[in-house]
Amino acid sequence: MTTESKYIHNALKQVHHKAPCSSVYGFSISGLATYMQFPEMNFCIDMGECPLSATPIDHVFLTHAHGDHARCLMRHHSLRKMMGVERDSVYYIPESIFEGAKDWIRAEAMFEGVSEAKFRYPEIVAVRAGERIPLRYRKDMVLEPFEVKHSVPAMGGTLYLHKRKLKDEFLGKDASEIIALRQAGVEITREVFEPQMSFMGDCLGESLLENRSVFDSKVLVTECTFIAPEDEPMSRKKGHTHLDHIVHALNELGDEVKCEQIILTHFSMKYSEKYIRETIAKEIPEKFREKVVAFI
């Protein structure tokens, strides 16, 4: 480690990036704040800070309860009201922390002086691993949460593009035949779920292989809190991912990795940008190097 690594490499300045499925606006440094906005998907992961760019986004997924990921969740709700956004946003919260979140939301409102008579919960939805949830304002997109291992209960998720396609046995038939089949009550289409973006939240590196379907998504967003070789034991102690764990997953899966892009986030503030970029370029296997992006 060089002495420069002690400097915070990004003091809450929003990062802009173009991913295959959406542009990405956000910030993610361990212990400071994490939020990642995907405007074209009308979706945000976590709300550790709430810039004005987040206010148009209707769907927010909270991965876990730590303050650097959660503290501005209701700030988002308040800002939308203040700016005249009429429809309610939807906040997807892991079932394991849902009741605690309700208590926290109510307590925050009371602290700010909202009376019991005027208090109303925002649109909050408890989510469970494995269920597929159509997004409220994007009916063509489906969210599927999954559990990950962290120091507290936590979840990641995958966003699917939901389509209906013509069944194989009807391919090649002309329009009049298709219309006749439909009028006769024949089911001519099938549901298709195309994985667009998976996100891990905060987690131990082993969660990547325990949820290996995330590597089928066009984009995978995964934390990489620790990268220095001597910090691998710390990553396990703190419930975070080390760069070595990502390298191991990539090497083990090989051609099973279908991602067009893998976005690494949540770096420890003790590393410099230069150290992060140089270490990733050195350690990521050459086969995957062009796919991997540091979100800094």
Side-chain angles (χ1 to χ4, degrees):
M1 295 288 295
T2 60
T3 55
E4 68 172 348
S5 66
K6 68 184 180 181
Y7 299 114
I8 296 174
H9 49 270
N10 187 335
L12 295 177
K13 181 181 178 182
Q14 191 175 83
V15 179
H16 295 178
H17 173 69
K18 180 62 180 174
C21 60
S22 175
S23 52
V24 189
Y25 304 138
F27 180 88
S28 183
I29 300 297
S30 176
L32 288 180
T34 288
Y35 70 89
M36 296 188 72
Q37 305 164 15
F38 295 80
E40 289 88 339
M41 304 175 86
N42 198 3
F43 194 81
C44 188
I45 305 164
D46 288 332
M47 199 64 73
E49 291 291 338
C50 184
L52 291 179
S53 60
T55 54
I57 294 179
D58 293 318
H59 311 93
V60 182
F61 186 99
L62 181 63
T63 61
H64 66 291
H66 281 158
D68 58 325
H69 292 255
R71 63 174 168 253
C72 286
L73 198 68
M74 289 303 97
R75 179 63 176 159
H76 179 258
H77 177 67
S78 298
L79 274 176
R80 283 170 64 91
K81 297 298 183 187
M82 187 184 306
M83 297 181 70
V85 180
E86 293 186 1
R87 66 184 184 184
D88 286 338
S89 46
V90 184
Y91 301 98
Y92 301 96
I93 300 175
E95 185 179 44
S96 58
I97 62 171
F98 186 74
E99 291 303 318
K102 288 177 66 177
D103 292 342
W104 159 52
I105 291 166
R106 173 179 281 276
E108 184 172 313
M110 298 301 106
F111 182 70
E112 290 189 352
V114 177
S115 68
E116 288 280 1
K118 291 186 176 181
F119 173 73
R120 297 290 184 275
Y121 281 107
E123 184 72 21
I124 51 177
V125 178
V127 299
R128 291 166 288 277
E131 66 178 350
R132 287 187 169 175
I133 310 157
L135 296 188
R136 180 68 52 83
Y137 304 113
R138 278 292 305 267
K139 297 299 185 182
D140 61 335
M141 301 214 73
V142 172
L143 168 67
E144 182 177 5
F146 51 81
E147 293 180 355
V148 296
K149 294 177 180 175
H150 185 38
S151 58
V152 297
M155 299 188 88
T158 297
L159 280 173
Y160 294 88
L161 190 61
H162 180 210
K163 299 179 179 179
R164 298 200 70 90
K165 289 189 175 181
L166 199 64
K167 290 181 178 178
D168 291 346
E169 59 264 36
F170 303 122
L171 293 174
K173 293 186 179 295
D174 61 37
S176 61
E177 290 179 286
I178 295 296
I179 292 170
L181 287 166
R182 186 182 292 119
Q183 290 175 340
V186 177
E187 181 56 69
I188 61 172
T189 62
R190 58 188 173 88
E191 284 190 307
V192 176
F193 294 90
E194 298 177 352
Q196 300 298 297
M197 187 262 291
S198 290
F199 53 95
M200 300 301 296
D202 283 8
C203 65
L204 285 164
E206 62 197 63
S207 293
L208 284 164
L209 291 175
E210 290 173 349
N211 298 281
R212 61 181 60 204
S213 64
V214 299
F215 290 96
D216 294 331
S217 294
K218 285 185 179 180
V219 176
L220 171 60
V221 179
T222 187
E223 72 128 296
C224 186
T225 305
F226 296 102
I227 61 175
E230 64 271 20
D231 287 338
E232 198 278 337
M234 180 64 70
S235 71
R236 295 185 182 277
K237 180 179 178 181
K238 298 292 187 180
H240 286 296
T241 299
H242 191 280
L243 180 60
D244 286 354
H245 307 154
I246 296 169
V247 171
H248 170 73
L250 292 173
N251 283 331
E252 178 163 327
L253 293 172
D255 291 339
E256 294 180 49
V257 176
K258 306 302 182 186
C259 306
E260 295 178 30
Q261 196 168 92
I262 299 172
I263 302 176
L264 305 186
T265 68
H266 205 262
F267 300 101
S268 169
M269 67 178 77
K270 70 180 181 177
Y271 305 129
S272 71
E273 179 176 349
K274 180 174 184 289
Y275 182 77
I276 291 169
R277 294 192 185 281
E278 288 179 350
T279 305
I280 289 172
K282 176 184 175 184
E283 299 298 331
I284 292 293
E286 185 176 357
K287 178 178 181 177
F288 301 104
R289 206 163 289 156
E290 291 188 0
K291 295 178 181 284
V292 175
V293 176
F295 194 71
I296 51 176

